Amino acid sequence: MKRGGRNESGKKLVSGGGAAAVACLLLPLLVLAVLKSDFMPQQVVHIAETSIGEAGVEGAIWQPRQQLVAKSKAAHDPVVEAPPSSPASGDETPDKVVDANRDLKNGKGFLVTNVGMDGSLIKSDADVAAPRSKLSCNFSSYRTNMCAMQGDVRLHGKTATVYVVSASDDNRPDNGTITIRPYPRKWETPTMQLVREVTIRWRAPPGPGAPRCTVTYDVPAVVFSTGGYGVNIFHAITDIIMPLYNTAREYDGRVRLVATNYDRKWIAKYRHALSMLSIYPIIDFDADNEVRCFPSVHVGTESHKELGIDSALSGKGYTTMGFRGLLRSAYSLKREWVTPIKSGRPRLVMVLRRNSRALTNEAEVIAAATEVGFEVVAAGPEVVRDLGKFAGTVNSCDVLVGVHGAGLSNMVFLPRNGTVVQIVPWGEMKWPAWTSYGEPVAPMGLRYVEYETTAEETTLKDVYPRNHTVFTDPVSLHKQGFNMLWETFLNGQNVTLDIHRFTGVLQHIYRSVTITS
Ligand SMILES: *[C@@H]1O[C@H](CO)[C@@H](O)[C@H](O)[C@H]1NC(C)=O
Ligand SMILES: *[C@@H]1O[C@H](CO)[C@@H](O)[C@H](O)[C@H]1NC(C)=O
Ligand SMILES: *[C@@H]1O[C@H](CO)[C@@H](O)[C@H](O)[C@H]1NC(C)=O
Ligand SMILES: *[C@@H]1O[C@H](CO)[C@@H](O)[C@H](O)[C@H]1NC(C)=O
Ligand SMILES: *[C@@H]1O[C@H](CO)[C@@H](O)[C@H](O)[C@H]1NC(C)=O
């Protein structure tokens, strides 16, 4: 049974048996396709050059046209916004005959994909131009590769191919292919190997070069991957949901999300957030044998940093706080702000790990926090798993505590001015701990407290003598590579907190959330 079938299409113009009838109606309109006068050969040539060459991609642009028009970002966008060449430049071909017969010969039903830039079906006799397809890519980011296409763009999931169909077989047969793994962790080769590669066929000639549309949409599409390390909530937010926000939010829900490495469970888990980004069901790209046609498609998503959005990099003015606002709506979170508690106990949620970096004296730590005055919510993996519910639990709290690990990502649900306490495990882990769960805290409008465990507080001391490099020179182990760091300091230890020392830190936090200054 095929998922993402025809019934859930945004707008199905033509399919199945009706195809032939529609083809008969529209065929005459197609035989003579006239290139519109707004055709911008300069741009297309430039984009083609910068995008297709092996080395020449840097600096190419990636901005959907609607947005450019809407926001008049001309100054920021030298390539796409290059002034249209004058109609007399000679680079233009005013009359082009589309070889529609070739299409006809090749298939059972000739399907029309003559869709204008605004998604409307072009009906006027005098204006039967095939859409000008455009492609622009940006491969220069450290994190992500992205391409944006407009015009006549056809997705075939089963072969993981995106066809950017040329307006006609024009005088520049500079077709070619680009491949993208649509997951923004480019520098992590092993992660990227888990992501299905998508091939973009640029300037595929209509006819034999591109398959006929079986479903046609009037909204854009964003092709992304639910593969990679998406099972981990830190990666789910950093690598998938935030980048989707950066890429798809501008369409205000009227966009098709197309997932490769389609993971039904993942989509179910994050359905609240996803439903804010697209009002439609997510399309499973992997096994999809439909040819889905869109007026505009993004392959790859825009990513800036760990657990955050860099407003300086976001051409759309997005911020981490804006993203948090979206989550507040998605999960119906009640509290926007933590306010100083005047009566009753402030709430502290403790994210508890089980297999590594676990607190061996969990019960005593919880008792100590209760003693300090907090109402403690102990959140083991079974509690955290139900995200729809747990988001509300976190939002009901003032403080979130956890040992360095993905569970701290739940900070995105804390009310503003909430406090995040990161317990940093032994092994000179301050810097890696800071980049993932320290640096992102302030841009979320939260407060950060770090608790660095000592050699006395790690279970590594039960395994290694105190004169071992694990204690004398942990950095030398980092230098042996990520596997060593992972096995020794991330996977290889649990933490036994010094209750007295930790209580001191909790008392300080307690005062900061209860005393009105
Ligand atoms: C391409 O992406 C990089 C990194 O995100 C960005 O700094 C740059 O401005 C982009 N290039 C263009 C031309 O938009
Ligand atoms: C490019 O165009 C040529 C001639 O038009 C065609 O033979 C070839 O198959 C096309 N290649 C791709 C990758 O579309
Ligand atoms: C949030 O915290 C800052 C200082 O940490 C304080 O100045 C501000 O008043 C707090 N906001 C609210 C609404 O409590
Ligand atoms: C560590 O100390 C033990 C005994 O105290 C000694 O036998 C061993 O050689 C020492 N190892 C290192 C690496 O210094
Ligand atoms: C940490 O504790 C868990 C039990 O909570 C245990 O299964 C695991 O083996 C421990 N890991 C290490 C590295 O000590």
Side-chain angles (χ1 to χ4, degrees):
M1 166 82 201
K2 188 166 25 190
R3 274 169 297 177
R6 295 176 169 191
N7 292 341
E8 39 95 349
S9 66
K11 183 180 176 186
K12 193 175 92 179
L13 297 179
V14 176
S15 81
V22 176
C24 290
L25 286 173
L26 292 180
L27 182 58
L29 308 184
L30 268 183
V31 172
L32 185 70
V34 181
L35 286 173
K36 272 186 177 170
S37 60
D38 70 355
F39 185 40
M40 301 178 196
Q42 256 184 5
Q43 295 176 7
V44 176
V45 170
H46 189 152
I47 291 166
E49 283 168 0
T50 49
S51 306
I52 308 296
E54 317 82 74
V57 197
E58 227 142 287
I61 300 274
W62 183 117
Q63 284 293 342
R65 175 169 167 166
Q66 303 92 299
Q67 188 212 344
L68 290 170
V69 171
K71 298 195 176 174
S72 305
K73 283 177 77 273
H76 302 276
D77 213 340
V79 177
V80 173
E81 288 294 311
S85 64
S86 95
S89 72
D91 202 9
E92 223 170 9
T93 319
D95 297 304
K96 269 287 172 185
V97 177
V98 171
D99 190 358
N101 290 319
R102 198 167 52 183
D103 283 287
L104 256 187
K105 271 182 252 151
N106 279 323
K108 311 159 207 138
F110 176 55
L111 303 183
V112 175
T113 56
N114 202 20
V115 179
M117 279 301 185
D118 59 355
S120 58
L121 189 66
I122 297 169
K123 290 198 177 78
S124 148
D125 263 12
D127 191 22
V128 189
R132 254 65 49 216
S133 291
K134 295 203 300 179
L135 164 77
S136 61
C137 298
N138 188 344
F139 285 8
S140 68
S141 157
Y142 170 67
R143 307 183 71 93
T144 189
N145 286 341
M146 297 176 293
C147 286
M149 289 135 274
Q150 286 170 283
D152 180 348
V153 190
R154 308 182 188 181
L155 306 187
H156 186 240
K158 209 166 180 178
T159 55
T161 305
V162 177
Y163 298 88
V164 185
V165 182
S166 57
S168 61
D169 36 4
D170 61 28
N171 53 4
R172 281 182 306 274
D174 51 347
N175 55 8
T177 63
I178 299 171
T179 56
I180 290 190
R181 293 181 194 265
Y183 191 83
R185 234 170 167 79
K186 239 166 93 173
W187 72 97
E188 281 184 15
T189 309
T191 311
M192 295 306 280
Q193 292 308 314
L194 304 172
V195 177
R196 189 165 177 242
E197 190 169 75
V198 175
T199 298
I200 297 169
R201 294 191 55 181
W202 163 238
R203 280 179 176 272
R212 294 178 311 277
C213 302
T214 59
V215 190
T216 301
Y217 299 87
D218 62 352
V219 297
V222 174
V223 179
F224 72 111
S225 171
T226 50
Y229 279 144
V231 289
N232 165 311
I233 185 175
F234 168 80
H235 288 288
I237 296 173
T238 297
D239 301 342
I240 307 180
I241 300 173
M242 273 182 170
L244 273 179
Y245 175 82
N246 288 330
T247 309
R249 180 64 192 130
E250 67 180 288
Y251 303 114
D252 202 22
R254 297 194 51 79
V255 56
R256 284 286 176 160
L257 303 182
V258 180
T260 193
N261 306 106
Y262 184 93
D263 182 340
R264 188 197 295 271
K265 273 194 196 154
W266 189 93
I267 287 165
K269 177 166 181 181
Y270 294 101
R271 64 188 181 280
H272 304 84
L274 293 169
S275 71
M276 301 300 289
L277 296 172
S278 170
I279 61 174
Y280 308 109
I282 293 179
I283 295 170
D284 174 356
F285 197 52
D286 295 328
D288 191 16
N289 206 22
E290 300 287 351
V291 178
R292 300 181 189 270
C293 297
F294 294 91
S296 148
V297 171
H298 297 266
V299 178
T301 51
E302 180 184 333
S303 168
H304 306 147
K305 57 183 182 178
E306 311 294 53
L307 281 186
I309 293 169
D310 186 338
S311 53
L313 285 180
S314 169
K316 303 163 195 168
Y318 294 156
T319 61
T320 306
M321 290 305 293
F323 177 76
R324 295 234 294 141
L326 177 107
L327 292 184
R328 227 174 32 250
S329 313
Y331 291 90
S332 307
L333 304 180
K334 294 192 184 75
R335 296 168 79 213
E336 182 174 4
W337 288 91
V338 162
T339 46
I341 311 286
K342 296 194 183 84
S343 64
R345 289 166 166 261
R347 279 164 68 87
L348 178 151
V349 57
M350 202 169 274
V351 179
L352 300 167
R353 298 176 57 93
R354 285 290 174 252
N355 300 319
S356 63
R357 285 165 274 152
L359 294 177
T360 59
N361 55 347
E362 202 174 281
E364 287 154 272
V365 174
I366 292 168
T370 309
E371 183 76 7
V372 165
F374 288 104
E375 181 183 340
V376 179
V377 180
E382 63 294 341
V383 173
V384 172
R385 199 168 294 133
D386 183 352
L387 196 62
K389 201 165 162 222
F390 189 56
T393 303
V394 173
N395 185 254
S396 75
C397 292
D398 309 285
V399 182
L400 180 144
V401 180
V403 182
H404 173 76
L408 287 173
S409 310
N410 289 291
M411 69 172 78
V412 294
F413 304 119
L414 275 179
R416 292 174 77 171
N417 271 8
T419 302
V420 177
V421 184
Q422 175 168 219
I423 298 166
V424 179
W426 173 258
E428 291 294 338
M429 296 297 290
K430 241 176 121 70
W431 185 78
W434 167 257
T435 54
S436 348
Y437 306 107
E439 195 277 332
V441 172
M444 291 194 199
L446 303 171
R447 302 173 189 174
Y448 182 62
V449 174
E450 196 169 274
Y451 181 94
E452 209 179 352
T453 56
T454 64
E456 289 305 318
E457 293 174 291
T458 173
T459 57
L460 287 168
K461 75 179 198 296
D462 307 329
V463 181
Y464 298 97
R466 289 297 288 269
N467 61 0
H468 191 274
T469 41
V470 160
F471 293 105
T472 58
D473 189 10
V475 172
S476 70
L477 295 173
H478 293 200
K479 285 180 184 152
Q480 290 178 33
F482 184 75
N483 277 352
M484 179 59 91
L485 181 139
W486 173 265
E487 289 305 331
T488 314
F489 297 121
L490 291 169
N491 218 25
Q493 68 177 312
N494 286 328
V495 172
T496 310
L497 289 181
D498 175 336
I499 296 294
H500 180 72
R501 187 175 160 235
F502 193 65
T503 297
V505 172
L506 289 179
Q507 283 167 337
H508 187 81
I509 296 166
Y510 181 85
R511 284 194 293 274
S512 77
V513 298
T514 50
I515 293 168
T516 332
S517 50

